[in-house]
Structure formats: structure tokens, C-alpha cells
Amino acid sequence: MTIQDSGFMMEDGVSCLPCTPEEQKKIVIDLRNESERNLKEGNLYFVISSRWFRKWERYVRIDADANLIGNQSSDSRHTNVASSMVAEMPGAIDNSDIVQNGSDCNCKENVIQLRRNLMEGRDYALVPQRVWEKLHEWYKGGPALPRKMILQGVYHRTFDVEVYPLRLKLIDSRDESQSVIWLSRKASLSELFQRVCALRGIEQNKARIWDYFNKRKHTQLSASNRSLEESNLQMDQDILLEEVDGHHSSRFGLDSTGNELALVSMEPSRSSFTIAGGPTLSNGHSSGFKSNQYPGSSLSSGLKDTDDGFDAYNTVRKGEKRGLAGLQNLGNTCFMNSALQCLVHTPPLVEYFLKDYSDEINTENPLGMHGELALAFGELLRKLWSSGQTAIAPRVFKGKLARFAPQFSGYNQHDSQELLAFLLDGLHEDLNRVKEKPYIELKDADGRPDEVVAAESWKNHKARNDSVIVDVCQGQYKSTLVCPVCNKISITFDPFMYLSLPLPSTITRTMTVTVFYGDGSGLPMPYTVSVLKNGFCKDLLLALRTACCLKTDENLLLAEVYENKIYRYLEMPLEPLASIKDDEHIVAFRIQKKGMEKTKLVIFHRWQEKSTTDYLKSGKELFGTPLITYLGEDQPSGADIETAVSKVLSPFKRMHSSAEAHIGKGSDFLSDGLDELCSSSDAQSIENAEFEGALSTDLSLRLLLTDDRVMNFKAFKKDTLFEPGKILSVVMDWTDKEQGLYDASYLKDIPEVHKAGFAAKKTRKEAISLSSCLDAFLVEEPLGPDDMWYCPRCKEHRQAVKKLDLWMLPEIIVFHLKRFTYGRYLKNKIDTFVNFPIHNLDLSKYVKNKDGQSYVYELYAISNHYGGLGGGHYTAYAKLIDENRWYHFDDGHVSPVNESDIKTSAAYLLFYKRVNESKMEIGESSYSHSTS
């Protein structure tokens, strides 16, 4: 008999799609565009696994080369090559890799929850409701993961899909039971009361709900239209339910003697605001004063809270050090904590915010946050410098951040540099001494001396921007543009608050691929190769060919293995390497070129327990890496499949196996395959005893025909004929006998593409210096095709040559090491060690303005990023200047650290302070000779 097509396996209807890939693509694009034209709060979007969605995109050719890594290719051959490749149909929608295993045992709402710390693009895609309905109609599968669109921000309103709703743990004081409630952070307190009362069976007028953050009563919540986010409720925090009918008394909120604790209301005064009524600190400045509230502003919101569990207005205990308070992690807020610790340990800012700065609050600036951000930051800074070593929970500050910078709202990990940029700019605008910005017409340099043009530009800048941030953190650089056609030169002088430095020698990544022999001629071997980060699969294949000494008559077939199946074939030469994540498992199969036109055979492995009576049952777990080979016959048979399986397994054969002794063939352990091993009548009876009657087969191996998802199974015989040129998939059931005969460890635990250690290695291998990063930043280079310059002489946009030079440096200079590179699907992390000086960073040679000033700097803080993206972690090192000692700030944990240990490959933001000339010693070594 002949089996025409393996499509008989598809029992869910996926194989009979009513639309072609081109039709699907058009329908989805049209529906997406329609959804974008009708954005509104409450719209439904659905979360889909990126693994499945990228496979669908390849199938319908949405990810053709025109969108590779966000750039349009000018080479039409790329598109032709990509479009000539036919991708496989993706199969049923499968979201199993992004949902949590098992439901929340305390959640009564039966909601399927996502795994934590997922990243859009890398782990999941968001599609509008109508797109999901179409995809589900075509492919079935799931589970469905609907999420609502919310409106965020105060002055800059943005739409966002709330992928992770707020999770609150409800403690019922009546029986001390615990439940989990999921609500949008935009839900009102009234909605929270309704949900709690319905869940716990209590009348609303008898319910009292407390903000129970850190198991401590803070605010008594009241049913109102105030949102949960505005109430500073955090992910995974506790709320406490009490009944107030007099019959239930709560032991919650009692001290150790049983007396009720004094509870401080979190609602601040509406008539005035207070800036840090606190102790006189070591610098001699009193940090307390009061001022009338500005009319029409909301400066009072959250300024006198004690939500951190510490009263910031108490004096520090005698002998307790200041500036060593940690910041609690409120749910992936380590990025915020790291940036804040660096800022609050910046000496000029500490001095400024501990004094009276109320006269500089600018509530009228349309570019600012009406002074609220500056007040919230100042309040937090004073708490951190007044609390000894008590950790602070920055809930109010995070709430302000969510209001004014919605991109940082929610509970996803973010970039500490992006937050720093927002804070510096926001603090500047809130503290801008210029109340009305004058209009200033910019002048061209027109050949005037640089000194004149630079001074004029800085004067114009200061006329519109004048704050402590400008005084301390802003410098000036010279930008020169040259038209490549008419040689027109344009010179401008622009301000900067930090310098983003490229890492010049980090354009490659290492990738580990395990290479298998498709003909069974050798054991698999992992190879680690170096390729261009922005390269393509053809580059990876070229590197692997060299590494494994591929013969001229062989080809490599690349594939991704996921959950013991072939998830996708990487057959497109122009598939971007950015689509391959570090935690994926990639394998390659060495195949004879002349055989690749024949029938491909995919072999899955399944552990078959002795107790199983149904040979066709699919409840057994897959294990190991699938193997791929090709059948040489024009019309392969079942016997050909069995021979091919035996051959490809032959390298894994143990030298001395218990299986051979069991069957009595121990004298010939170099026998060629299972067919010889099981040729005796005794062995044959053992092999076939379990499934005799269940199916009729004459195979010596436990092989079943299956589909690419290994969901459906069908028996075949040696004389079964198969249509040539098709992809055949079989599953082999392993018993104790096969385990004894073959060493299955070669099939298991193949390495990840790149295993990044969580701790940053202080390796000097491939180390680069801070000076080389500065050189790369200042190098002359042409503008990109998407960043053309309008030449006033040519009256056209030109790809000009750009050169940057430093002209004036500020008192505080921040270097941002650009460790993250952006691809189409995800960001990549560069872990290369950058050797930076701690002392005597002399930048004089980089400053073009020879004004006689000293430009020697000393390091005082570092923002670190450890691990990979999404699952990484931020910490900070900061130096207490008065104490001359370094400390490690890891969220709420603070510990001393040796200066020799602060230089690691995790360094991400470097904070330097200019050294006062009077403190410099004669004969100090310059940066270029510094080894610190």
C-alpha cells in the first residue's frame, strides 16, 4: 500500500485552510490597520507566543527581507532569494511556552496567567481581537489570552495593552484566609471593593480594606473613583479585609502586647506642602522648611507619606550612617532603584535637594510636570539620607513616574539609562528658573570663530534653560556636517546631559550549535563559533562549515529544537541571526548533498513504559533531540525507514550493553543495528508480545508514523510504500532494552546557543578601554540613509559626513556604555569588559575648547546590569565621598565593597565628578597612563 501524504495526521482541520498564505497576509494587515485607526480604551488584544507567530509570519512571508532588523534592503536579490523559499505551515496556535504551568491555587477566578518577565517581540506578540479571531478560525489552538487596552499618562496620553494586570493578595482578617485578585491598575477602588465583597461574601458597608503593603497597615482604602495605580498599590502586595460590625476583631494592626497600633493616614494636607522637615546634616544645612502651595497645582499629592515603613522626619539614631538606605523592589523596579541610587549619591544634587529649593519649583512650565517630579525626587532623596540603613519602598515616586512617564508604568523590566535620561530632563524642566522662554532665532556659524559661535549658542541655551541640572550635568559638543556634493560645512554647538558611547569591538556574538551526522557516521559534537551580531543564517552556516571541517559533498541543515521536537528549520539564508535567542537550542545535521533531494526522515524519541498496553497511546513523554536523515530510495518503504533508523542510531551504541547480554548477542557488540540484534525468534517474540493484537506489524523496532507535532500515530509495515519527496516523521519508543543498548545521553541536554552567567565576569579577554569607546563616539562617519541632512546650498537631503567634538564638559559627566543592540525581534546584550579608570580620568585631550580648565574626573557611582535581557538584574555601586568608601546597592540590600571589585563587565552607566583643582596633587598620572 502507498501513503500519499502525511496530511492525514491533522485531525484539527488545520491542513485544510480556506485561504492561501498571501490571502491570510492581506486579511491580517488590513485588520491591523483598521484597529490602529480605531484605538480606544477597552479594546481587546490577544497575546500570542512569538515562537508560533514568527513561524506564521514566515509562512505568509510577512518577514521578507524588506523589514530585516528594521532596515530596508537595497539589494533586490535578497527579496528574491527569501521569496523563493517556501516556509512550513505553522500548525495550531501554541501558547504553552508563555503561560504559567498550573493555575494560581489561591485565585478563585480561573484566569490563565502569563509567565513573568516576558518581553514583547522576544516572547510574545500582541494582535487585535479581530486578527486573533481570524487566526484562531484558521489554525485553532490556544489558549486565548485576552488583554485590554488602557490609556496612560497625564500630559502625554498614550495607549498601551495591559499585558500584566495588577495581582493583589487579599488577607481576610476574619479567618486569616488568603485569596488572589487580578484587576487592571486603572480599575477604581470601587471596583476593588465590589470584587472583594463578592469574593468573600461580605456586605460593602461592613467591609474595611487596608493597604497592607509589607504586612503593615498604611492607608484605609475607601470606595471611590481613584484608581489602584493612583493609590500606589503594587504588584503582589497584600490588602487586608476587616469586618466592622463589631463581632469580628482583628489581630492585624496590633503590637506585640495586643494594643492597637497608631495608624497614620496617607492623605496629605491640602493646604500646604513640606519639604523635608529633617535633621541638620553634616554639611551644616537644615533641610526643613514650609511654603504655601502654588495655586492650581497638585503639589500636595503624596509628599508626607510614610508608605515606606519609615518616618522620614525622625532624626537619625546616633552613630548611624547616612546615605546607606536601600530601595525595595516593587516588581521589576531594580532598573529604577539602580539609577536613583546613582543620582541620590551625586554630591551637588544631594547638597541642592537637602536645602530650600522651593523658589525654583516651576509649576507653569508646559514641558515639565508642574513641579511634582522634582518634589517627589527631593522627598525620596531626603528619606534616603535620613533613614540610616532602613530600606525605603519608593511607591509614591513610582506612582509619579507612571503618571508622567507611562513608558515606565506596569511591572516590566526597563532600561536604567532611559529612566536616567527622563529623570534628568524632567528634573530640569520642573526646576527651570526660566518661567517664560524667549524665542531665539538661530544663526549659522558663517565662518565665525568657534569660540564666538559656542559662546553665543550657550548663551541662547541658558536663556531658555537654567536649572541646577544645567549647572551641574550639561556640557556642550561641536557638531560638524559636510555635504558630500557641494562641500557645504555646517557647524553647530549643542548641549548634552550624558554621552552614549558605542563599544567598538563588540559587533560579534558567540553561538553554540550541536552538529549531528545525518548518515550515522559519527557522534554529535557542539561547536562554538563567532558571527556578526547583525548577520544572517548564511554567516552561521559558513562559520560552522569551517569549524566542523565540512566536506565538499556535504551540506548543513539548521534547525531549532524545542520541547524535543523540531520547532523550525532555519533554511532561509537571509534569516537574521537576531531571531535566534541565546536560550534556544540549535542543531545542525551533516547531510550528503546528493541525498537531499530524496525523502526527509525525522525521528522522534519517546520513553515507553512497560506497563503500557496500548502501543498507539500518545501519553508518553518525548525526550532527546530528534534526528534527521534522508532515504535514498526513489520510493521508500517501511523496511527502508527501519534500516535508516538503525543506521543513524549506530554511533550511540554502547560498547558493552546489558541489552545484548539479555538477548544473548553479547559476542558481537559491533553488530550493525537493531535488526540484527533482534533477528532471533526469541528476540522477535519479546519485541512483539506487548502489541500483538493491538496492531499488525512486522517491524523489529517500535516505530510509528506520526506528524510534526507528534500528536497522531499510525502503524506501518516493512512493505508499506511512501510517496517520494515528502517529509516523513516517525517516533521510536524506547524501553529498558534500548536504553541498555544505546547511550541516550548524546541526545539529551544539548547546549544553549549562549549560556550567559548571571554574575558578571571580570575577564580581560576582548577587553576594551573607555578611551577607545570615546574615540568611536567621536569618529567621523556618514549619516545613515534614514537620517539624511538637508543641505541649505543644494536644497536637497544629503547623506552628509558627521563629526562630533567635545567643547565644554560639565561638573558631573555620565557615560552610557551602549551594551544593548536592537534587532527586529529582540535586543542583544554585549557583555564585553570595558576597562575604565576609577581615579584621574583626564579628558583634557578630548576637549577642543582650550580654556585652561582642568578636566580630570573621579568615579563615584556605577549602574550595573547583570545577566541577559528580560531576566537580567540592575544594581549600583556608589561612593560615600565623606567616608571615601564604596557600597553595593542591590535593591533593599546595602553592603560595603572593595574599590578593587567595582570594575566588572556589568558596568552600564559610569558617573564621574570633576576633581577640584585645589585637591589635585602635583604629578598625578593622566588617564592615558592610568591603570586604576
Side-chain angles (χ1 to χ4, degrees):
M1 62 179 178
T2 300
I3 296 179
Q4 297 294 328
D5 198 323
S6 59
F8 74 91
M9 299 296 177
M10 307 302 290
E11 296 182 350
D12 53 10
V14 172
S15 60
C16 301
L17 292 178
C19 300
T20 65
E22 291 74 19
E23 291 171 332
Q24 291 182 47
K25 175 181 177 180
K26 184 180 185 306
I27 291 172
V28 167
I29 290 177
D30 289 346
L31 290 175
R32 270 187 157 174
N33 291 338
E34 180 186 347
S35 175
E36 289 176 5
R37 291 192 297 268
N38 297 283
L39 292 179
K40 62 181 180 180
E41 210 169 2
N43 283 358
L44 271 186
Y45 279 71
F46 284 75
V47 183
I48 299 182
S49 166
S50 281
R51 284 181 178 273
W52 185 89
F53 195 69
R54 290 208 299 265
K55 197 172 184 180
W56 177 81
E57 282 187 319
R58 285 191 291 270
Y59 177 60
V60 301
R61 297 176 185 170
I62 276 183
D63 64 338
D65 194 62
N67 284 327
L68 284 178
I69 320 179
N71 295 322
Q72 177 117 13
S73 173
S74 59
D75 190 348
S76 60
R77 292 174 301 166
H78 291 180
T79 304
N80 294 335
V81 173
S83 61
S84 66
M85 306 292 290
V86 179
E88 294 183 12
M89 195 166 60
I93 298 171
D94 183 7
N95 287 332
S96 60
D97 63 315
I98 60 173
V99 299
Q100 288 183 350
N101 293 325
S103 59
D104 197 320
C105 59
N106 293 318
C107 183
K108 310 293 186 183
E109 301 168 351
N110 195 28
V111 179
I112 298 175
Q113 296 305 328
L114 293 173
R115 284 172 36 219
R116 293 292 180 92
N117 301 322
L118 299 179
M119 291 176 61
E120 185 177 0
R122 186 195 70 176
D123 301 302
Y124 67 86
L126 291 169
V127 299
Q129 181 176 4
R130 294 188 62 192
V131 172
W132 164 261
E133 290 169 350
K134 276 296 178 185
L135 291 174
H136 192 260
E137 175 188 331
W138 295 329
Y139 294 97
K140 305 296 185 284
L145 302 168
R147 295 295 187 268
K148 286 186 178 181
M149 177 168 279
I150 60 176
L151 189 59
Q152 298 195 101
V154 177
Y155 304 112
H156 307 286
R157 308 285 272 171
T158 60
F159 286 106
D160 191 23
V161 178
E162 189 176 27
V163 176
Y164 289 98
L166 188 62
R167 181 181 185 268
L168 299 173
K169 292 184 279 188
L170 172 66
I171 301 176
D172 192 333
S173 65
R174 298 173 297 176
D175 57 6
E176 300 184 22
S177 62
Q178 297 189 21
S179 309
V180 172
I181 293 177
W182 296 88
L183 274 174
S184 169
R185 58 182 181 269
K186 296 296 181 181
S188 67
L189 290 175
S190 294
E191 292 177 74
L192 175 63
F193 267 78
Q194 293 171 8
R195 185 74 65 86
V196 168
C197 293
L199 182 65
R200 300 305 301 163
I202 183 174
E203 296 179 24
Q204 191 164 322
N205 60 356
K206 295 182 179 180
R208 182 164 61 188
I209 301 178
W210 291 93
D211 174 354
Y212 201 53
F213 183 79
N214 280 349
K215 293 289 193 296
R216 176 179 174 271
K217 284 183 177 179
H218 293 277
T219 309
Q220 181 179 330
L221 305 176
S222 59
S224 66
N225 290 328
R226 185 183 175 97
S227 72
L228 306 186
E229 186 173 58
E230 291 170 332
S231 303
N232 298 321
L233 298 181
Q234 304 298 317
M235 179 70 82
D236 295 325
Q237 81 154 77
D238 296 316
I239 55 175
L240 177 66
L241 171 65
E242 293 180 334
E243 190 171 11
V244 292
D245 61 358
H247 298 296
H248 292 88
S249 60
S250 172
R251 69 175 182 83
F252 295 86
L254 303 179
D255 64 17
S256 58
T257 64
N259 298 317
E260 188 170 355
L261 295 174
L263 300 173
V264 181
S265 172
M266 295 302 295
E267 291 299 323
S269 166
R270 296 292 172 182
S271 59
S272 66
F273 67 92
T274 301
I275 294 186
T280 299
L281 300 182
S282 58
N283 57 16
H285 299 292
S286 175
S287 58
F289 68 93
K290 293 189 176 181
S291 171
N292 293 330
Q293 183 176 326
Y294 298 105
S297 72
S298 54
L299 292 174
S300 61
S301 57
L303 288 178
K304 290 187 66 176
D305 70 271
T306 55
D307 73 330
D308 47 43
F310 170 78
D311 184 354
Y313 307 103
N314 289 339
T315 57
V316 180
R317 291 187 294 271
K318 185 176 181 180
E320 200 165 27
K321 296 177 180 179
R322 300 179 180 90
L324 294 180
L327 289 165
Q328 282 189 317
N329 193 314
L330 303 178
N332 277 334
T333 57
C334 58
F335 77 97
M336 180 181 76
N337 295 344
S338 175
L340 284 173
Q341 290 290 7
C342 292
L343 280 182
V344 301
H345 287 87
T346 298
L349 296 184
V350 175
E351 182 178 0
Y352 178 86
F353 282 101
L354 288 180
K355 295 192 296 187
D356 183 348
Y357 60 96
S358 61
D359 289 342
E360 298 197 338
I361 298 288
N362 189 336
T363 62
E364 306 302 324
N365 187 353
L367 298 179
M369 277 127 275
H370 293 244
E372 291 189 49
L373 182 67
L375 288 168
F377 176 79
E379 180 72 4
L380 182 60
L381 181 146
R382 286 182 293 276
K383 287 179 180 179
L384 290 168
W385 279 90
S386 303
S387 69
Q389 292 184 262
T390 304
I392 304 294
R395 293 202 296 166
V396 170
F397 184 83
K398 184 177 184 295
K400 297 291 184 187
L401 205 59
R403 289 185 65 214
F404 297 116
Q407 65 269 33
F408 299 116
S409 63
Y411 305 96
N412 287 333
Q413 183 71 277
H414 295 283
D415 190 322
S416 68
Q417 185 273 330
E418 293 175 0
L419 175 68
L420 176 72
F422 167 78
L423 285 179
L424 289 176
D425 186 62
L427 289 173
H428 157 64
E429 297 294 357
D430 269 6
L431 298 170
N432 198 344
R433 303 173 187 118
V434 179
K435 307 304 180 185
E436 293 186 12
K437 297 187 176 185
Y439 171 76
I440 299 175
E441 188 172 349
L442 300 179
K443 299 178 182 179
D444 200 353
D446 283 335
R448 292 180 293 163
D450 285 349
E451 291 78 9
V452 174
V453 179
E456 178 183 83
S457 297
W458 188 252
K459 179 182 176 182
N460 292 340
H461 176 66
K462 288 279 285 185
R464 295 172 55 86
N465 303 277
D466 186 15
S467 70
V468 64
I469 302 299
V470 176
D471 297 341
V472 171
C473 301
Q474 286 197 358
Q476 189 182 39
Y477 63 78
K478 175 186 175 182
S479 175
T480 304
L481 290 168
V482 180
C483 178
V485 178
C486 70
N487 293 321
K488 164 70 177 175
I489 299 176
S490 173
I491 296 176
T492 58
F493 290 83
D494 303 302
F496 68 85
M497 279 194 290
Y498 54 86
L499 297 177
S500 291
L501 308 183
L503 276 61
S505 65
T506 54
I507 60 174
T508 62
R509 66 184 287 201
T510 58
M511 301 181 73
T512 299
V513 178
T514 303
V515 178
F516 288 79
Y517 285 83
D519 60 0
S521 61
L523 288 169
M525 177 71 69
Y527 292 93
T528 300
V529 295
S530 180
V531 291
L532 290 172
K533 279 183 176 290
N534 294 331
F536 304 95
C537 280
K538 63 179 183 179
D539 302 315
L540 177 59
L541 285 168
L542 186 62
L544 285 173
R545 292 177 72 95
T546 303
C548 70
C549 301
L550 198 71
K551 298 176 182 177
T552 55
D553 62 345
E554 290 180 312
N555 265 343
L556 285 176
L557 176 63
L558 276 179
E560 177 189 347
V561 176
Y562 176 69
E563 292 187 344
N564 310 111
K565 304 173 188 174
I566 300 293
Y567 180 75
R568 58 169 171 157
Y569 294 100
L570 298 165
E571 294 180 298
M572 291 188 177
L574 296 175
E575 173 82 17
L577 293 181
S579 70
I580 302 176
K581 296 186 290 184
D582 284 348
D583 61 351
E584 291 177 345
H585 298 85
I586 304 297
V587 296
F589 297 92
R590 299 177 68 141
I591 306 293
Q592 293 288 325
K593 288 181 180 179
K594 62 181 181 181
M596 294 190 73
E597 298 176 356
K598 303 292 186 178
T599 302
K600 182 193 294 183
L601 177 65
V602 184
I603 306 158
F604 300 98
H605 311 281
R606 192 172 62 166
W607 175 245
Q608 179 73 29
E609 296 179 359
K610 290 182 178 180
S611 59
T612 301
T613 56
D614 187 353
Y615 189 52
L616 295 175
K617 197 169 182 178
S618 62
K620 304 308 169 193
E621 283 197 6
L622 296 175
F623 77 91
T625 304
L627 299 175
I628 294 178
T629 188
Y630 281 80
L631 303 174
E633 293 70 19
D634 291 334
Q635 186 167 27
S637 66
D640 297 326
I641 290 177
E642 187 176 37
T643 300
V645 172
S646 298
K647 185 177 181 181
V648 82
L649 285 175
S650 60
F652 310 121
K653 199 170 184 183
R654 299 181 188 273
M655 297 297 289
H656 300 283
S657 75
S658 57
E660 290 170 341
H662 173 73
I663 304 175
K665 293 285 183 177
S667 59
D668 186 16
F669 59 79
L670 293 178
S671 173
D672 293 328
L674 272 174
D675 49 344
E676 292 183 21
L677 188 69
C678 303
S679 59
S680 71
S681 58
D682 291 340
Q684 189 69 45
S685 62
I686 294 174
E687 282 290 320
N688 296 328
E690 287 184 34
F691 56 91
E692 205 170 327
L695 57 88
S696 177
T697 182
D698 55 358
L699 299 177
S700 301
L701 300 179
R702 295 174 173 270
L703 298 174
L704 292 171
L705 201 64
T706 186
D707 55 14
D708 59 355
R709 297 169 61 204
V710 199
M711 297 294 293
N712 304 284
F713 306 91
K714 189 169 184 177
F716 62 94
K717 294 184 177 182
K718 287 186 177 182
D719 61 354
T720 303
L721 298 179
F722 298 91
E723 187 176 348
K726 296 291 184 180
I727 300 177
L728 295 177
S729 300
V730 297
V731 61
M732 174 177 169
D733 284 324
W734 290 58
T735 64
D736 289 339
K737 187 190 70 176
E738 285 79 22
Q739 290 277 17
L741 179 62
Y742 296 107
D743 187 350
S745 65
Y746 291 105
L747 300 172
K748 302 175 183 177
D749 303 322
I750 61 173
E752 297 177 353
V753 169
H754 179 69
K755 187 71 172 177
F758 189 78
K761 297 179 181 178
K762 288 194 275 185
T763 175
R764 301 308 194 253
K765 185 180 180 181
E766 292 189 52
I768 57 178
S769 66
L770 186 60
S771 64
S772 65
C773 296
L774 268 168
D775 292 336
F777 174 73
L778 299 173
V779 73
E780 183 178 85
E781 60 182 0
L783 296 175
D786 297 327
D787 191 25
M788 304 280 273
W789 171 65
Y790 182 79
C791 175
R793 184 180 293 169
C794 295
K795 307 296 183 183
E796 289 187 28
H797 285 89
R798 302 294 191 192
Q799 194 170 358
V801 176
K802 184 175 183 178
K803 175 72 171 72
L804 293 178
D805 292 295
L806 300 180
W807 185 262
M808 180 179 66
L809 299 184
E811 178 182 355
I812 298 296
I813 188 166
V814 180
F815 294 110
H816 164 222
L817 303 179
K818 296 174 71 172
R819 293 193 177 278
F820 300 125
T821 59
Y822 295 83
R824 180 177 178 198
Y825 295 117
L826 72 158
K827 293 192 297 183
N828 283 319
K829 169 76 181 297
I830 300 169
D831 289 316
T832 301
F833 177 81
V834 177
N835 192 12
F836 51 90
I838 298 174
H839 305 286
N840 306 326
L841 168 58
D842 191 350
L843 299 175
S844 301
K845 70 174 183 178
Y846 293 101
V847 181
K848 295 301 180 181
N849 178 23
K850 303 305 179 183
D851 55 4
Q853 289 194 44
S854 167
Y855 290 106
V856 177
Y857 289 80
E858 182 162 314
L859 187 72
Y860 71 88
I862 307 172
S863 175
N864 300 302
H865 182 270
Y866 297 86
L869 294 162
H873 182 58
Y874 286 93
T875 69
Y877 292 128
K879 184 178 183 179
L880 291 190
I881 302 298
D882 293 340
E883 191 181 336
N884 195 31
R885 187 168 187 182
W886 285 88
Y887 287 88
H888 183 214
F889 294 83
D890 186 356
D891 289 330
H893 181 71
V894 181
S895 58
V897 61
N898 293 326
E899 186 174 272
S900 59
D901 293 329
I902 66 171
K903 294 169 68 170
T904 73
S905 60
Y908 183 46
L909 301 176
L910 304 175
F911 292 74
Y912 284 90
K913 182 182 184 301
R914 189 157 58 195
V915 178
N916 191 318
E917 288 189 59
S918 62
K919 295 182 180 180
M920 293 178 60
E921 296 179 6
I922 298 177
E924 282 185 304
S925 60
S926 68
Y927 164 64
S928 58
H929 297 94
S930 174
T931 58
S932 298

